[in-house]
Amino acid sequence: MEPILRVAILGTGLIGSSIGLRLRRASGKTPIEVVGYDRYPDVARQAQKAGAIGAVLPTPELAATDADIVILATPLLAIRQLLEAIAPVVREDAVIIDTGSTKAAVLRWADELLPAHQGFVG
């Protein structure tokens, strides 16, 4: 069965892996492809081994390409860099979700770096 939803998790530590595990559990009812990227490849491989993501991709751009949902699960200071990296490739209709602990700066960065994007959830 073809996946009908592609989710990219950027940051595969505790938060990202927890989200990935839940999504992959739900994929029995709805085919979901969950891919991941982490700046620490060993962390991403651990997430894959635990079943949180199906594939480890080497860059955030590759992970976000063609994703229906992009989850930013990194420390706050890494979110701006991720937004800059994915801005040229993320689909305009993709939902982008950030799991950071504060929102003002993240929402400002999203407005600045993804001006045409309507699906950002802070």
Side-chain angles (χ1 to χ4, degrees):
M1 184 182 314
E2 265 309 294
I4 62 167
L5 190 65
R6 178 181 164 103
V7 178
I9 299 176
L10 309 182
T12 58
L14 184 61
I15 302 279
S17 289
S18 295
I19 293 169
L21 284 168
R22 183 63 186 109
L23 286 170
R24 295 210 56 213
R25 249 186 253 131
S27 72
K29 300 174 183 115
T30 304
I32 301 172
E33 176 187 20
V34 182
V35 300
Y37 161 80
D38 200 287
R39 71 180 181 163
Y40 301 108
D42 58 324
V43 172
R45 284 190 297 275
Q46 284 181 307
Q48 184 180 31
K49 186 177 177 182
I53 57 175
V56 175
L57 295 174
T59 67
E61 296 90 343
L62 286 174
T65 298
D66 295 325
D68 299 291
I69 300 172
V70 178
I71 299 170
L72 308 174
T74 64
L76 183 64
L77 296 178
I79 291 175
R80 181 180 174 89
Q81 266 186 306
L82 286 176
L83 290 172
E84 288 173 340
I86 68 171
V89 299
V90 71
R91 293 182 0 208
E92 273 191 35
D93 64 341
V95 174
I96 302 171
I97 302 168
D98 114 79
T99 63
S101 59
T102 64
K103 299 298 167 210
V106 175
L107 292 172
R108 194 172 51 251
W109 298 333
D111 284 344
E112 174 191 338
L113 300 167
L114 304 169
H117 204 280
Q118 298 300 309
F120 190 85
V121 180

